[in-house]
Amino acid sequence: MSRKNTIKNKELSEDIQEELSDAVEEKVEETQNFLRSIFAPKQLSMYLVTKNLPFIAFLAFLGLLYISNRHLAERTVRQIDRLGREVKELSWDYKSLSAELMKLTTQSEIAKRADTLGLKERTQPPIKLEIVKEKK
């Protein structure tokens, strides 16, 4: 297997290839050892837990804060939706009452209601009264 140097476009010698593969293998081994040391049962001792207890409490507090913020946002959205429906309903009531009032204040409706009281609509134009003042 021949590899080329990307800088000089020359083939690498076998010694350099072996050194590179050994370096890569060492890095892989170090990474595996690091991961094993983190998740080893002896590392999860009581000392480690008590040492990191403030951080764990902080994470729990952030979780509670996140959950409460989510509930508050959902409650606000529900309230906005409920108020929007209430505004629509009140708008419909306003429009129906406004139309009914317009109908009741027409001249023909007023004449019908006045007729039940014994009042009649005047058919003659109003008379203008003039007062003559005498000069002294």
Side-chain angles (χ1 to χ4, degrees):
M1 167 171 30
S2 64
R3 294 186 182 178
K4 289 191 175 185
N5 189 343
T6 57
I7 296 174
K8 298 179 183 177
N9 286 331
K10 293 183 180 178
E11 290 187 12
L12 295 175
S13 68
E14 288 183 20
D15 294 335
I16 296 175
Q17 287 180 11
E18 284 181 29
E19 286 177 16
L20 287 175
S21 64
D22 289 342
V24 168
E25 287 176 10
E26 285 178 20
K27 291 285 185 181
V28 168
E29 218 172 285
E30 286 177 14
T31 305
Q32 288 175 347
N33 289 338
F34 175 72
L35 292 175
R36 284 186 190 125
S37 69
I38 287 177
F39 295 113
K42 62 183 177 182
Q43 291 294 335
L44 296 176
S45 66
M46 189 59 109
Y47 172 74
L48 185 63
V49 171
T50 52
K51 181 181 172 189
N52 291 321
L53 194 60
F55 181 68
I56 293 169
F58 176 70
L59 288 179
F61 175 72
L62 285 179
L64 289 174
L65 193 64
Y66 176 77
I67 291 169
S68 65
N69 187 30
R70 178 69 182 222
H71 284 297
L72 179 66
E74 286 179 5
R75 187 180 329 129
T76 305
V77 166
R78 277 191 232 111
Q79 186 177 15
I80 288 171
D81 185 43
R82 182 179 48 82
L83 289 175
R85 282 184 273 136
E86 191 175 329
V87 164
K88 279 184 181 179
E89 187 177 321
L90 290 174
S91 174
W92 294 334
D93 288 344
Y94 166 75
K95 289 176 183 175
S96 64
L97 288 174
S98 176
E100 188 177 335
L101 180 64
M102 291 295 285
K103 182 184 176 218
L104 290 175
T105 56
T106 58
Q107 185 177 1
S108 60
E109 287 295 319
I110 292 175
K112 286 179 189 175
R113 289 197 338 237
D115 194 31
T116 60
L117 296 174
L119 300 173
K120 304 250 185 219
E121 189 175 355
R122 188 177 184 116
T123 56
Q124 299 171 354
I127 301 170
K128 184 177 181 182
L129 298 175
E130 291 183 15
I131 300 175
V132 180
K133 290 187 177 179
E134 294 180 18
K135 290 186 180 181
K136 293 188 182 180

